[in-house]
Amino acid sequence: MSVLHVAEVGEGESRSQWYSMLTAGRSHTTKSTTQLNLKETSFLGKRYESTAAASDASAAPPAEKYEYQAEVSRLMDLIVNSLYSNKEVFLRELIRHVLLFLSPIYCNASDALDKLRFLSVTDSDLLKEAVDLDIRIQADKDNGIITITDTGIGMTRQELVDCLGTIAQSGTAKFLTALKESKDAGGDNNLIGQFGVGFYSAFLVSDKVVVSSRSPKSDKQYVWEGEANASSYTIREETDPEKLIPRGTRLTLHLKARNPLCLGRDDKGFAHPERIQKLVKNYSQFVSFPIYTWQEKGFTKEVEVDEDPSEAKKDDQDEKTEKKKKTKTVVEKYWDWELTNETQPIWLRNPKEVTTEEYNEFYQKTFNEYLDPLASSHFTTEGEVEFRSILYVPAVPPMGKDDVINPKTKNIRLYVKRVFISDDFDGELFPRYLSFVKGVVDSNDLPLNVSREILQESRLVRIMRKRLVRKAFDMILGISLSENRDDYDKFWENFGKHMKLGCIEDRENHKRLGPLLRFLSSQSENELISLDEYVENMKPEQKDIYYIAADSVTSAKNTPFLERLAEKDLEVLFLVDAIDEIAIQNLKSYKEKNFVDISKEDLNLGDTNDEKEKEVKQEFAQTCDWIKKQLGDKVASVQISNRLSTSPCVLVSGKFGWSANMERLMKAQAAGDTSSLEFMRGRRVFEINPEHPIIRNLNIAAKSNPNDEDALRAIDLLYDTALVSSGFTPENPAQLGGKIYEMMGIALSGKWSDAHHPEPNSNTPEIVEAEVVEPAEAGSQK
């Protein structure tokens, strides 16, 4: 069976109603046209058998054969096999997108309708056929045929030759040029087909393409027919009255069957009605003209069923029993046109007229979400780049994905003139750290590649990206300023790492990222605070923002680096995520306050007494040199510490070297091979607390007996202990353990021996203490 397109036209009458329909030999889908209940403007249908006698072929004029222009066959092969990465875009191309075919001036069905509407303003005769402006798509899955019909401007014979026989020549481009040259040209020149290759996307899935078109300026209808990999095409006049149309163009695609030598999918699968409907909704949902697809439908009704003879006999015997006819519910199927697209996108409406419920409904429907977004932003941008957009912040991150690592997301749907282009971008519209933001962007003048699948890098794209990022920040800032603090806590829990990644990757937006950051601190261990709150709570004499990086809050609050700052009631940020330290180092400062790592040398707390400090350094100068000599190359220097109050010593990192936390992370990244990391380690400084008893005793030993073995062992043990307490990893943990055991043995030797603390024993005879008798003088009496 084949697809025939039928027109019901009375002689001498205008063709006010016309239609096309699938030929069906399937009885279960057949229903008379009187049962379809179609509107007056809908297509009606009849079914015909396709036979050799369907029309008088001998009476038809012979088809004329035309050769493509030079090298067109090679160029067509390039277009079909290399230009498009996704076959399913053929339907988008043939309905509306940039380089199509269905009219002499416009290169696609939607442009053909636009052209007719534009020209009818000055020439009302073009609309003498009272046919609605729409697009209708039929699919015959059994025969692998797709038919796309528009009621637009149509094409004459010469226009078929000019537009469909020449690649890269677009009627739309010509029309735009004519509009610019015409002084009287007014109205909308927002046309999209300007290159003239989109028509050949039909050969992505088709072996043969038939274009039947009629211009309202002509009384004849012509048929263009071409095959894939052919060097020529034919054009003939349509003489079959059953196939005539009053106006417009009908495109018939004969889809490719599976190649026995190829394991690929059968392209005839595109002819399934449900798949056609899905493609229209995905790519052409917001085309300004209605798009109808031919769909199988059904309705339920009650029908009588024959009674069982035994039951009928029983009922006859009982005359008093009231007989009731038995029925059952059946579904009767039929075919009808169904409106598939929406003609008014939500982003084209005035934001004041759109409710929150409508925004949320659009979000859930477009991105298959079940929760309402945390925030949304609907805006229009004008100037060098004009576009409309709606952005959303999701309530939860995507399941099973880490978008910080994988920048390939499908969160931004790009439309050009309301036609879907792509949702597969790699940082063109949004940076990687904002990949969680979802939304739609619709523009009229974006630079696309010829296949309209890739957004080309240009100044316009960079401007658009900058404005989208700015709006995204405004939206997130609005969440942070919300009266409900839980909203931003939820956002930070899900997307806080994205903000920190932005500090690393996007220096231009540091001022926007800073207010959005949240951390725990020494004065807020259970509740996140912002940098604004930290600055507000700073001491009058405090000039810097202090922080400590550690693997947990417990490690951070028990570190010896924090001792003196805690005494002075100085707040310290706890950076406990792996990305925190790198983010802060890239941020460098906030509101002219520098970030200072309290685990690095040259820490200035702003309260030093120069005279006292000078005296202490002179007193312990010999001790510092003695300790440095014993430790050798393990440390760069030994200094007096201003950050310790209870610990005897600490090991600090060089000003430009890795901190202990960073060194730990780098070792984990090295996967066991730390040899390449040795040159990245910064200098380490051994700081001592001159007020601690251990250091005072060592000071005495340094001056009285610097070669004492116990003192030297104590220095080594002090260094190893400081290494651990400062967050570093000892190079030889077993050796450190041995030193600790040795010191424990010395300290505990004989402490609990029997000689010092004898225990009572019941079998041991009681020892009676002897009485001391004083000597008496002679003659005295007792």
Side-chain angles (χ1 to χ4, degrees):
M1 308 299 293
S2 63
V3 179
L4 294 179
H5 312 280
V6 185
E8 298 241 358
V9 184
E11 295 183 3
E13 297 177 353
S14 64
R15 303 178 182 91
S16 61
Q17 297 293 329
W18 64 292
Y19 56 89
S20 60
M21 187 173 179
L22 295 178
T23 303
R26 296 161 286 183
S27 60
H28 68 281
T29 60
T30 306
K31 193 174 190 294
S32 65
T33 55
T34 58
Q35 294 175 309
L36 293 180
N37 297 322
L38 300 180
K39 299 179 180 179
E40 290 184 0
T41 56
S42 300
F43 283 29
L44 301 179
K46 290 184 179 180
R47 305 180 185 276
Y48 293 85
E49 297 291 334
S50 177
T51 64
S55 61
D56 189 0
S58 61
E64 296 185 23
K65 189 173 183 179
Y66 292 83
E67 293 291 332
Y68 287 109
Q69 66 183 48
E71 304 298 331
V72 163
S73 60
R74 294 180 60 186
L75 182 56
M76 186 185 297
D77 179 70
L78 177 65
I79 293 172
V80 172
N81 297 309
S82 303
L83 188 60
Y84 300 95
S85 62
N86 187 0
K87 282 186 176 183
E88 67 182 24
V89 301
F90 81 93
L91 191 61
R92 175 197 72 183
E93 297 287 87
L94 301 184
I95 290 177
R96 167 157 178 116
H97 202 36
V98 182
L99 310 172
L100 309 195
F101 60 92
L102 292 178
S103 72
I105 302 302
Y106 287 76
C107 295
N108 55 67
S110 179
D111 279 354
L113 296 168
D114 271 327
K115 163 68 175 179
L116 178 64
R117 185 168 57 182
F118 182 89
L119 295 180
S120 65
V121 175
T122 56
D123 188 358
S124 59
D125 291 340
L126 296 176
L127 295 177
K128 62 183 179 180
E129 302 293 348
V131 182
D132 288 343
L133 301 179
D134 58 26
I135 303 168
R136 298 184 181 253
I137 306 174
Q138 298 171 323
D140 182 359
K141 62 181 179 181
D142 294 333
N143 297 308
I145 297 176
I146 298 176
T147 304
I148 306 172
T149 309
D150 76 90
T151 58
I153 190 64
M155 287 180 276
T156 64
R157 182 189 191 98
Q158 186 58 43
E159 289 166 345
L160 283 171
V161 175
D162 293 340
C163 293
L164 304 189
T166 303
I167 291 180
Q169 177 172 313
S170 168
T172 300
K174 289 183 177 180
F175 185 67
L176 285 174
T177 302
L179 284 179
K180 294 177 181 179
E181 293 177 353
S182 175
K183 296 181 180 179
D184 300 329
D188 186 14
N189 63 351
N190 184 17
L191 313 180
I192 58 178
Q194 300 185 39
F195 300 95
V197 298
F199 164 68
Y200 300 98
S201 66
F203 290 103
L204 288 171
V205 295
S206 307
D207 284 324
K208 183 173 72 171
V209 177
V210 179
V211 180
S212 182
S213 186
R214 180 174 182 177
S215 171
K217 298 180 180 180
S218 173
D219 58 352
K220 293 183 180 181
Q221 181 174 323
Y222 295 95
V223 179
W224 182 99
E225 184 173 329
E227 296 184 2
N229 302 320
S231 61
S232 62
Y233 60 92
T234 62
I235 295 180
R236 58 180 172 83
E237 181 182 344
E238 181 62 80
T239 57
D240 187 348
E242 302 293 344
K243 298 181 181 180
L244 294 178
I245 57 178
R247 182 189 69 229
T249 305
R250 179 191 297 127
L251 173 75
T252 304
L253 307 180
H254 298 264
L255 301 181
K256 299 177 183 178
R258 179 180 296 172
N259 189 335
L261 301 178
C262 180
L263 300 178
R265 297 179 61 181
D266 193 340
D267 288 335
K268 288 187 176 182
F270 285 108
H272 199 286
E274 284 77 10
R275 188 169 186 184
I276 289 293
Q277 189 178 55
K278 181 180 179 181
L279 292 178
V280 171
K281 288 183 177 180
N282 186 47
Y283 289 103
S284 304
Q285 184 179 13
F286 303 109
V287 169
S288 58
F289 295 98
I291 302 176
Y292 295 90
T293 56
W294 191 244
Q295 298 293 328
E296 186 179 29
K297 299 183 178 182
F299 64 93
T300 60
K301 68 177 183 178
E302 299 289 331
V303 296
E304 296 183 12
V305 295
D306 296 334
E307 293 188 61
D308 189 0
S310 60
E311 294 183 3
K313 184 177 181 180
K314 183 178 180 180
D315 292 340
D316 292 338
Q317 295 174 356
D318 190 357
E319 296 179 358
K320 296 181 180 181
T321 304
E322 184 180 356
K323 293 184 178 181
K324 293 183 179 180
K325 296 181 179 180
K326 292 188 176 182
T327 61
K328 68 176 181 179
T329 302
V330 297
V331 178
E332 186 165 340
K333 297 182 179 180
Y334 65 97
W335 290 85
D336 197 359
W337 292 108
E338 181 175 316
L339 181 63
T340 305
N341 66 320
E342 299 177 11
T343 57
Q344 180 61 33
I346 188 174
W347 60 81
L348 295 182
R349 296 168 58 185
N350 188 335
K352 297 180 180 179
E353 300 175 356
V354 184
T355 64
T356 302
E357 290 73 19
E358 288 177 310
Y359 283 126
N360 294 345
E361 180 183 0
F362 176 77
Y363 168 75
Q364 294 177 0
K365 181 179 178 181
T366 304
F367 300 102
N368 297 321
E369 293 285 350
Y370 61 93
L371 293 177
D372 290 339
L374 288 179
S376 63
S377 177
H378 183 185
F379 59 94
T380 301
T381 300
E382 299 179 350
E384 295 181 81
V385 177
E386 296 184 4
F387 65 91
R388 296 173 181 265
S389 178
I390 302 179
L391 301 179
Y392 295 94
V393 174
V396 294
M399 298 296 293
K401 287 186 177 180
D402 188 352
D403 291 341
V404 177
I405 298 175
N406 179 18
K408 286 283 188 178
T409 64
K410 295 184 178 293
N411 291 344
I412 301 298
R413 293 177 61 84
L414 175 64
Y415 292 80
V416 172
K417 302 178 179 70
R418 295 183 292 177
V419 177
F420 174 67
I421 301 301
S422 178
D423 57 3
D424 187 10
F425 298 103
D426 188 9
E428 291 92 343
L429 293 180
F430 270 96
R432 181 172 67 150
Y433 68 92
L434 288 177
S435 59
F436 63 89
V437 176
K438 297 185 177 183
V440 296
V441 178
D442 186 9
S443 178
N444 292 336
D445 51 3
L446 281 182
L448 302 173
N449 71 336
V450 178
S451 66
R452 277 78 62 197
E453 296 177 307
I454 301 175
L455 188 62
Q456 294 180 339
E457 179 64 22
S458 72
R459 181 171 175 270
L460 296 180
V461 175
R462 290 193 294 271
I463 295 174
M464 173 179 284
R465 172 187 165 116
K466 183 179 295 186
R467 294 179 180 175
L468 287 172
V469 169
R470 187 178 304 168
K471 288 294 183 179
F473 276 123
D474 293 342
M475 184 169 50
I476 297 172
L477 184 61
I479 302 176
S480 68
L481 299 177
S482 172
E483 295 180 358
N484 187 0
R485 191 182 180 104
D486 292 339
D487 288 343
Y488 196 75
D489 289 342
K490 184 187 301 183
F491 167 83
W492 186 256
E493 180 182 357
N494 294 327
F495 307 110
K497 289 184 179 179
H498 293 72
M499 298 294 97
K500 297 171 186 176
L501 181 63
C503 296
I504 301 171
E505 295 187 341
D506 192 356
R507 294 186 178 182
E508 294 182 1
N509 287 301
H510 277 178
K511 290 184 178 180
R512 293 186 175 91
L513 284 162
L516 304 177
L517 301 178
R518 298 292 185 271
F519 300 100
L520 297 174
S521 74
S522 59
Q523 298 180 7
S524 181
E525 298 177 9
N526 300 316
E527 186 175 353
L528 294 167
I529 65 168
S530 66
L531 294 180
D532 287 325
E533 291 173 322
Y534 181 97
V535 172
E536 185 178 350
N537 296 332
M538 287 176 61
K539 300 296 180 182
E541 69 278 5
Q542 185 178 347
K543 297 181 180 180
D544 301 316
I545 301 175
Y546 300 115
Y547 71 89
I548 180 68
D551 58 351
S552 66
V553 174
T554 302
S555 299
K557 70 180 182 180
N558 292 319
T559 181
F561 301 107
L562 197 63
E563 293 174 358
R564 184 60 62 85
L565 287 92
E567 285 185 355
K568 297 173 65 66
D569 197 29
L570 295 175
E571 190 172 13
V572 178
L573 298 177
F574 290 166
L575 311 185
V576 294
D577 283 343
I579 195 175
D580 286 354
E581 185 175 3
I582 304 176
I584 288 297
Q585 288 176 352
N586 280 270
L587 201 58
K588 294 182 180 179
S589 64
Y590 182 73
K591 291 188 174 179
E592 299 182 354
K593 307 288 185 182
N594 293 325
F595 290 100
V596 174
D597 187 349
I598 64 172
S599 69
K600 293 192 175 183
E601 64 176 333
D602 297 336
L603 177 65
N604 183 9
L605 299 181
D607 62 342
T608 57
N609 187 329
D610 295 337
E611 292 296 330
K612 184 178 180 180
E613 183 179 353
K614 185 176 180 180
E615 293 177 1
V616 173
K617 286 184 177 180
Q618 290 178 352
E619 180 182 355
F620 286 86
Q622 183 177 349
T623 303
C624 291
D625 294 340
W626 175 57
I627 295 175
K628 173 64 176 71
K629 182 179 180 181
Q630 176 63 21
L631 295 179
D633 294 335
K634 293 180 181 179
V635 297
S637 63
V638 179
Q639 299 177 4
I640 302 300
S641 178
N642 66 339
R643 71 189 86 205
L644 299 177
S645 61
T646 58
S647 299
C649 58
V650 70
L651 197 62
V652 303
S653 303
K655 189 173 182 180
F656 302 103
W658 281 344
S659 66
N661 182 69
M662 183 61 65
E663 188 172 316
R664 174 180 59 83
L665 294 175
M666 291 299 104
K667 282 184 177 180
Q669 294 286 337
D673 183 14
T674 59
S675 59
S676 60
L677 303 179
E678 291 296 328
F679 71 97
M680 292 296 294
R681 287 181 177 176
R683 62 195 297 267
R684 295 175 181 174
V685 177
F686 190 68
E687 292 188 357
I688 59 176
N689 180 7
E691 298 178 359
H692 198 277
I694 294 178
I695 302 301
R696 289 191 173 276
N697 288 330
L698 288 178
N699 186 41
I700 297 173
K703 296 177 180 179
S704 61
N705 192 2
N707 296 321
D708 184 77
E709 293 183 0
D710 291 338
L712 297 178
R713 281 199 301 270
I715 293 174
D716 290 336
L717 185 59
L718 272 178
Y719 171 80
D720 291 336
T721 307
L723 197 70
V724 175
S725 64
S726 302
F728 295 97
T729 303
E731 297 177 359
N732 193 338
Q735 186 179 17
L736 173 60
K739 293 178 182 179
I740 295 175
Y741 297 149
E742 181 183 359
M743 295 297 290
M744 289 177 63
I746 295 173
L748 301 178
S749 178
K751 187 173 184 178
W752 296 288
S753 64
D754 292 341
H756 290 80
H757 298 279
E759 297 182 3
N761 191 336
S762 59
N763 297 325
T764 304
E766 183 179 355
I767 300 176
V768 180
E769 185 176 354
E771 182 181 356
V772 178
V773 180
E774 293 289 336
E777 294 183 359
S780 64
Q781 295 181 352
K782 276 285 189 187

